[in-house]
Amino acid sequence: MAEPSPIAFYDFDGTLVSSNIVTRYAFFVRRLPSRARSLWKFSRLLASVPTYLALNRYSRRLFNEVFFREYRGMREEWMRQQAGPLFNEVILPSIYPGARELVEADRRQGYRTVLVTGELGLVLGPVMGYFGFDDLIANSLVLRKDGTATGEVSPPLIAEEVKVNAMVRICRERGANLRCAKAYSDSFSDVPMLEAVGTPAAVNPDSRLKKIAKERAWPVLDLRNGGALLETAEGKNHVSIP
């Protein structure tokens, strides 16, 4: 019987792309059928940015819980229809030059590739196809019977330690060992995700994650220039992603 493939887990925002949940939500708002509602929601978004920044720094889980309330009243079918334009206009231009090659390099080495993100899964079909991910861990909205969003997220909300629980589940389903897995993230909030695997890497890390990566001798990758700036306890070397 063949050994199960090891798994590589990738965070999305800030790790593979420079866009984020807020910029993608803004795309939806600008395309709302009602011009008046679009202007009102966009103004509300701009006014709330300082609050969202503070929430995100305090707790990614709390940020997601509060932010997804903004989707209240949007129709699932309409959002799915916007997934293609969202990818072409917002996500594709924001993909870091080295991101796709990183995923492809892991695939060539025999890893099963899994996207782990707090974003809504219903808009990520084109992303899954572009990178060729095998599995997706993402959030989903609670919907009314008519298909409109309530503003709540179906539990469990994917963030922080809950990402690890989902990673454990995927490994069990695939017969893989989490300690033989890789994980990539840019955010301090994903330290539990990185701690859970045998091979963690900080990618385009924020200051808090970069500090932890240095203390623990985790590699630090910079995908923004196509290659990777590999930083280890021994120093820095510019390398190409294999």
Side-chain angles (χ1 to χ4, degrees), residues 147-223:
T148 59
T150 65
E152 297 179 353
V153 177
S154 298
L157 189 150
I158 303 300
E160 299 171 348
E161 291 86 355
V162 178
K163 282 189 174 183
V164 179
N165 298 337
M167 290 160 61
V168 169
R169 174 180 57 79
I170 288 285
C171 285
R172 286 175 179 169
E173 291 174 354
R174 303 300 178 187
N177 186 338
L178 189 60
R179 299 309 301 172
C180 295
K182 293 182 177 182
Y184 303 89
S185 180
D186 71 302
S187 175
F188 174 78
S189 67
D190 282 336
V191 167
M193 170 182 172
L194 297 173
E195 290 177 328
V197 301
T199 308
V203 181
N204 318 317
D206 60 33
S207 59
R208 291 186 292 175
L209 177 57
K210 190 171 185 179
K211 180 180 179 182
I212 289 176
K214 184 176 181 180
E215 292 171 350
R216 303 186 186 184
W218 291 347
V220 176
L221 308 178
D222 187 338
L223 302 182

Side-chain angles (χ1 to χ4, degrees), residues 117-132:
T117 175
E119 180 57 278
L120 299 175
L122 62 83
V123 304
L124 294 174
V127 172
M128 296 295 289
Y130 178 85
F131 283 98

Side-chain angles (χ1 to χ4, degrees), residues 5-41:
S5 298
I7 298 178
F9 297 95
Y10 310 82
D11 175 56
F12 192 49
D13 294 357
T15 302
L16 302 179
V17 299
S18 60
S19 62
N20 55 53
I21 287 175
V22 176
T23 58
R24 293 190 289 272
Y25 169 76
F27 171 87
F28 285 120
V29 168
R30 290 194 300 269
R31 294 174 69 97
L32 284 171
S34 168
R35 179 65 174 169
R37 187 163 181 246
S38 173
L39 290 173
W40 176 76
K41 289 184 79 68

Side-chain angles (χ1 to χ4, degrees), residues 48-73:
S48 301
V49 165
T51 300
Y52 289 137
L53 288 173
L55 280 175
N56 186 56
R57 185 167 179 82
Y58 174 72
S59 166
R60 180 63 58 86
R61 177 181 177 81
L62 180 59
F63 165 80
N64 283 359
E65 184 177 330
V66 172
F67 185 76
F68 281 126
R69 294 172 187 168
E70 298 296 331
Y71 281 86
R72 185 184 298 115

